[in-house]
Amino acid sequence: YVSGIAALMNQAYMEKVGFVSLRNSTSKAILIHTADDMIDEIGFAGSELSDVKAATGKSVRVTYGKGPDFVTGWGGVNAENALKMFESYNDVKKVFNRFREFDVEIGESVGKRFFVNVNNFMERLRLTLTWDDPFGADSKKRLVNDLDMYLVSPTGKYYFPWRLEPLPIKCVNSNQAFEGVCLDNKEYITETDVKQYAVRECSSGSVSDKNCFDNYNNVEVVDVDFPEKGKWTIVIRATSVGEGVGEDKKIQTASIASDLEFDDSPGNVGCEIEHPYQPLSSLSCSYDFGISLTNFVTFSNKTF
């Protein structure tokens, strides 16, 4: 079923741009972005968790909460919504307005930025970032290439991606070393392990805090409930690129999908605000070439 949806997505893509296939990361971004979140905090619809029963002897029903989980992933794929993403093609600019393929370089001081405008009431604003991560020779390393994404609201508030701690990697048979698959297909997982829910809050509220981002997977999804109206900034940074492209191997290709069309109008200005409620000693901003900063920036010697 998923492969069939991916094939239809490629067909819709090629009808617009010619005989060129979607990037793997783009297909993944769109499928995750348009999936229907599945929530069952009672366990009414699910079956028993055989791993938990084998490990603890307890009969535990499957439950899953808001956001990603170990039972439903990012939710059930939605073919109709996935194919609607390709209706956003701009014939003049030759781009898709609701998803993009781009490059980001490690060490960029202000990162890669996108903009969307929330003009009407929305129950949720979602941005989805994915990238192809190369195979890592070090089994203990979570990601070879790690990208981070966060959103900045019109009033300067930060929003961070969903995060879910991984399950233990230990077999029920303690004498057996874990090497990807347990011989009896049972892992030592407890009820507490499987009933943890994903989180998206960040206690420090700092964009420099690695604990605020997903450091395990090559996908980051930011969901904002009832987003405020105005221009939102999406910031994507290459935290580490161990095996990229380009002469210096520091470039990572990636894909991003959005609920709203990206705002590519000239004059988009984005500033790296370390914390919106504390005094700043410095401020880094990016802007489009050819646009006078006097239209957007006012300097004052006032002290507040």
Side-chain angles (χ1 to χ4, degrees), residues 192-203:
T192 303
D193 295 327
V194 296
K195 287 196 171 181
Q196 64 166 313
Y197 290 151
V199 297
R200 50 182 163 165
E201 293 77 21
C202 173
S203 58

Side-chain angles (χ1 to χ4, degrees), residues 27-101:
S27 296
K28 182 176 181 177
I30 293 174
L31 287 169
I32 291 175
H33 187 84
T34 58
D36 296 323
D37 197 0
M38 302 168 70
I39 301 174
D40 179 8
E41 297 180 343
I42 299 176
F44 175 78
S47 58
E48 286 188 349
L49 292 170
S50 58
D51 290 272
V52 176
K53 191 169 185 178
T56 65
K58 294 182 179 180
S59 295
V60 177
R61 302 282 287 181
V62 174
T63 62
Y64 27 95
K66 194 172 183 179
D69 56 68
F70 297 116
V71 181
T72 68
W74 288 101
V77 289
N78 188 314
E80 182 179 8
N81 288 343
L83 292 173
K84 281 183 178 179
M85 298 288 287
F86 297 87
E87 297 176 1
S88 67
Y89 187 69
N90 187 316
D91 290 310
V92 177
K93 295 183 178 180
K94 306 299 181 183
V95 294
F96 290 90
N97 289 330
R98 289 185 58 196
F99 68 89
R100 295 290 167 83
E101 299 174 339

